[in-house]
Amino acid sequence: MTAPKARRVEPSVEVPISLTVNGEAVEAMVPARQLLADFLREELRLTGTHVGCEQGICGACTINLDGEPVRSCIMLAAQVDGSAITTVEGLSSEGLSPLQQAFKDNHGLQCGFCTPGFLMTLSTIDPEEYPGEEGIREAISGNLCRCTGYGGILQAVRTAWDRPQDG
Amino acid sequence: MADTFELGGRPVYTGAHVTRRQDDALLSGQGTYVADLRPGGMAEMAVVRSPIAHGRITAIRTAAAAAVDGVIEVITAADLTDVAPYPNFAAYTQTPGTFPLAQDKVRYAGSPVAVVLAENRYIAEDAAELVEVDYTELPAVTSLEAALEPDSPRLFEDWTNNRLLDLQPDDSEVAAILAGNRVLRRRYKMGRHTAMPMETRAALAEVHNGRLHLWCTNQHAHIARTTLSYVLPLAERDIRVVIPYVGGGFGLKQHLYPEDVLVSWLALRHRRPVRFVEDRAEHMIAAAHARDHMIDIEAAIADDGRILAMRVQVVQDLGSAEIFPGAWCPALTTAAHMTGPYDIRDCVVSVAAVTTNKTPGGSYRGFGVPEAVFALERFIDEIAAEVGVDRLDLRRSMLLQPADLPYTTASGALLDSGSFAESFERVVEMGEDAYRQAGAHYRSDPDSRVGVGYAVLFEGVSPTHHGASAHWMGHESCTIEVQPDGGVRVASGVTDQGQGTTTFVATLTADALGVPIETVRVELADSDATPYGLGAFGSRQAVIGGGAILLAAADVRGKVKKIAAHMLEAPEDDLVIEAGRVHVAGSPVPAVTMAEIATTAVIRTIDLPPGMEPGLEATARYEPELMEHTPDEKGRINANAAYANAAHAAVIRVDLGTGEIEILDYILAHDCGRVINPPIVDGQIWGGIAQGLGGTLYEDLCFNDLGQPQTAFMDYLVPSAVEMPDVVIEHFESPSPNTPLGMKGVGEGGTVGPAAAIGNALAQALAEFSPQIHETPLSPAVVRAMIPDQRT
Amino acid sequence: MKPPPFAYCRPHSLDEALEFLAEHGDEARPLAGGQSLVPMLNHRLARPTVLVDIGAIGDLQRMDRNESGWRIGATVTQRRVERESTEGCDLLRLAMPFIGHRQIRARGTVGGSIAHADPAAELPAVALTLDATMVAAGLDGQREIPAAEFFAGPYMNSLEEGEILSHVTFPTVPPTTRCSFREFARRKGDFAVAGVAATVDFEDGSVTAASLTAFAVGSNPVRLTGAEAAVAGRHLDEAALIDSAEAAAAEIEPWDDIHGSPQYRRQLVAALLRRALQEVAP
């Protein structure tokens, strides 16, 4: 099957996009240079996606893009045309999800700034791919937390993934 | 003293795992941080920063930037004609004359020179690139050693040298002891760190009904208000400071920053909301740096290694000192902790704080204590090696024992309680065991060496404050109001950067009033809604804020009982309050509810006891009696309300090929007196250790010879979960007889020990190579250089 | 940290993308996963006026095996390579987990990483070790560039203006070839301070062929020809390990940064190579 030949669209400083965000269809005209994180925060007012570094290091801006955890601070809004996005606001329609509850029960957050990034990484990946205690640490290595020293976060993930601590 | 502060009944929440108040919001992305605010008509600010470390500004051209579509205004220092420089109330220091934008001179790369106000941040950044600034470069002073040189270029030309602070106490008594004994000398240095909260700084200013409203990330709502009134042409009553959710502070957000003043000034001028959200690149160079100390110790040593007397010189590199009026206070704190929890009667410390052409120094968790602990604890291990005694026995011979307490240290700190020896023995027992196991595990690995190191320490908590306001004080405030429906509003000057302060305030209030915690509403960090308080610093909020809560609650409780006694026709002394009801002890009915009592007090005063004043609320302030604000004639001062203690043990493996240190076990015994919320205490300890480990192994802010910052965010290695070891925490509780409920602060004990414990472990692991371990960070490259290349 | 202004397009065919690049000359840049380019835009270290997003071009998203190896389209994500089998190309599989973090690999592409030519990046080192072939597409057709000629300095490649790296072919190796990928980074997922990639063939315990590469120690990944010579024909005994490690340390010309001096990087390469060879030794 060959894709239908798309019409040539010239480079432009404003780009139309249509996508799904937390299950709802969104259509917007975005500045070509607008970062995806800024689009979510400033245009859609989904401010749970936090911006901590704008260089793809801290992970606070992590979202679920078509089933993968990605950093929304180093993507352009223009790039997500046709995609489906989940942000922290879309994690649970009622109350807290089991993962969120595990964070609450295990003191897995302090200031809460990094927390949406952790939640979005963890809710997007498959725990089976990250076996054992080492796997938990690997799974969250792309998200930095400055408050907790990770103790409560690790315990929260062990709880959420029903994985007793080694040793 | 402690009797004054009672919970009033059997605690329900205090000491229990009370889940945190903000978590539901934070976990669902509903916590509102400053950067999440977006009032209509908002403009955004970008700062033009100096690319050079030291130079004179000869011209600034803003026309091209101002002409960019969407730019509202471009301003420089010359426009700020109604702004006053930051006052200096410390007569014994030289004055940096801090101003929001550079006037004539820049003194660090990153210094704010001009500001672009535009319709959004994208446009503001576009225009900021077009501001042209001409500089005449001056030679840069880039190290504290260079700053101490008599012919060093001066940052502030009207100063006599680069020493903002220079205290040289009389050392004749110690000199005499040194002269008659074996003397050991060492120099220790700690690298330059920064708190690196995951949320950068942010501020949003608006004008409402002629008043300035500033939403910001500052750790003190009221001090920020007061200091704004110093520099802006506004009366304090015309300023409201609100601190919404904050993404971590750790001291870095203690200071009123230039951008806080600038958004306020621009909002007043343009009568529209102005937001500044610092980006991470700016944060690296324009948010306060910390540590960067050099400590010289000379000690008279007895034959068995005991320290008979110490002469210490502490030098702190302040950077340009242009942000934080109390930037030099960490050096004083270092001085106050130089003897550790040891019986060292004679110790004299001179302190110098010098300016260099680097990012201004400020506050960061630990605040001078990690430096002191690293120096002293390494020094003790070095004495042991030099004299040939066991390092643990040497500590035992000097550690304060229970019988020694209360003990006043050479610096004047009153150690009224603590588990110094006991906590030390516990970590030694566990540490030696872990070390044996590690040794057995790696015995046959030729590329590995293992070691264990210890650090034992006390840390002053709840200090007198100079910091952001440049005055000295140490109090905290609380208002408790019971409303007619029986619900409680508690407002306090403490603030929450994520530590759980809000939950703590609710916990103590609920127990002190005997009401369900769900009925307590907490209001913090709004200068219009809370009584004047000092906010977050120095692990003080539980102790001092808690004291104020207990005092206010005692007032309210007294009145509740009086009204209830009247309503129940029972003697006041027979009454108990629990779960929001008051009844006679031993018989739950009849009872009156808090709602009935408050209704009577506020809107049905006809039923009040004759002569009783209406209302059911109280405001209290607590300032610890024994906390001192000025030193005595010998420089001694008890600058803290309490002293927590801890002992650390680190078991490490060193990779001889790469120089990497792997933490195999980290054990910490901690004593912060009475614990209010165990998970919050553990969280503080884990987080503190992570920052301490980070500064020891990973984090360092480097500058080259021109004063150019070399450490970008990707190079400032905040540890991830993979780098963070598991931590075993042992709890000790030695309540202070002098603080409310015997509480001591917990915020910093984890941070101050890792450098010393890991440094000592490394010395043991690499003993065969006689490594020189006198500085942090102990990066792989630094460690590898201690290991000879071997051809076996 | 916001990108400077630019125009953006997202063509659906390679020809169209090449036309846009040709029309806008050196003002234009192709955008693949953006995991290096967007941070550079945010820092305003890159200032293209036109971004040609090649992420919607189906031809560049193919990943298949042919007689010469795995032919991987430029915009195949690192995550996909990590998840899907690349049988016969163990070195590629071994290197994948070292590339940034999961979130980076989800967007980061094989072609983007190689074209970016970061001296500390993993994929260029793998390409060099395996003698991969880069396929450059231009309006005049395709040309092949061997890995050894592709990297032209730090962050520089040998694509001509207007060309796009369309595919990379990583040769497969026989199952008897042994490989190792070792990297020393300060934190999990950070760029390497130094790294080593190795493929070695043995016969009766002796080395018949070795391809050894060091990266993050100079302008580009570099083949350790001295170290390769040091192990040629030998059993990988202690003496051979030492000789090759010393040869490697001597032949590289490492750079200096806050994470390590040239001397330290020599020590690291020696240690990593030694461990890599220990790992592959039969």
Side-chain angles (χ1 to χ4, degrees), chain C residues 8-237:
Chain C
Y8 169 95
C9 60
R10 187 177 169 86
H12 287 264
S13 78
L14 184 56
D15 284 346
E16 210 179 303
L18 291 166
E19 283 165 23
F20 285 130
L21 289 179
E23 282 162 26
H24 297 280
D26 62 4
E27 300 275 279
R29 278 191 74 159
L31 170 68
Q35 300 299 283
S36 300
L37 182 53
V38 179
M40 288 169 68
L41 292 168
N42 289 359
H43 281 289
R44 300 195 175 211
L45 293 170
R47 316 187 73 99
T49 57
V50 176
L51 273 187
V52 180
D53 184 347
I54 59 173
I57 301 170
D59 278 353
L60 304 188
Q61 295 167 0
R62 299 219 179 91
M63 173 172 161
D64 45 54
R65 187 175 179 173
N66 59 25
E67 64 287 351
S68 48
W70 280 97
R71 183 179 148 90
I72 299 180
T75 59
V76 169
T77 63
Q78 293 146 8
R79 171 72 185 151
R80 189 173 152 206
V81 175
E82 184 182 22
R83 284 176 70 182
E84 294 184 9
S85 163
T86 49
E87 198 190 350
C89 219
D90 277 358
L91 191 67
L92 193 56
R93 178 179 56 78
L94 292 173
M96 280 301 151
F98 290 96
I99 304 175
H101 298 99
R102 165 76 180 263
Q103 296 91 336
I104 296 292
R105 298 195 292 277
R107 292 291 302 171
T109 64
V110 171
S113 172
I114 286 178
H116 185 51
D118 188 318
E122 292 80 5
L123 281 171
V126 171
L128 186 67
T129 311
L130 294 176
D131 285 325
T133 301
M134 322 303 181
V135 180
L139 282 175
D140 303 332
Q142 294 192 338
R143 65 185 179 110
E144 295 191 343
I145 309 171
E149 292 166 24
F150 186 79
F151 303 105
Y155 309 99
M156 286 188 285
N157 59 46
S158 51
L159 295 171
E160 302 287 341
E161 189 177 309
E163 280 185 330
I164 287 175
L165 175 64
S166 68
H167 297 84
V168 180
T169 300
F170 293 93
T172 45
V173 296
T176 50
T177 302
R178 303 180 61 109
C179 37
S180 174
F181 190 91
R182 298 218 164 223
E183 163 174 326
F184 183 76
R186 295 291 306 277
R187 287 178 302 193
K188 171 74 188 169
D190 279 350
F191 277 109
V193 182
V196 159
T199 64
V200 186
D201 291 297
F202 296 92
E203 204 173 300
D204 299 330
S206 300
V207 173
T208 54
S211 177
L212 308 177
T213 297
F215 62 99
V217 293
S219 312
N220 287 128
V222 57
R223 280 284 288 269
L224 300 169
T225 51
E228 289 170 1
V231 294
R234 293 174 71 177
H235 280 72
L236 290 184
D237 55 16

Side-chain angles (χ1 to χ4, degrees), chain A residues 33 35 38 41-42 45 50 52-53 57 100 104-105 107 110-113 119 137 146-150 165, chain B residues 20 24 27 33 35-36 38 122 126 194-195 275 280 497-498 679 683 686-687 691 699 714 719 721 724 726:
Chain A
R33 61 166 162 166
L35 298 173
D38 286 339
R41 290 174 49 77
E42 306 290 341
R45 300 299 290 145
H50 296 154
C53 74
I57 293 170
Q100 289 165 314
K104 180 176 178 177
D105 292 343
H107 198 46
Q110 288 183 28
C111 80
F113 194 83
L119 294 172
R137 290 177 188 267
R146 193 58 160 169
C147 294
T148 65
Y150 305 100
Q165 189 168 9
Chain B
R20 296 174 359 128
D24 286 357
L27 285 162
Y33 301 81
D36 301 339
R38 192 187 173 83
Y122 287 75
D126 294 344
T194 185
R275 185 173 78 179
R280 191 58 73 177
Q497 289 71 41
W686 274 82
Q691 292 182 349
E699 302 170 24
M714 69 180 296
M724 182 68 190
D726 266 326

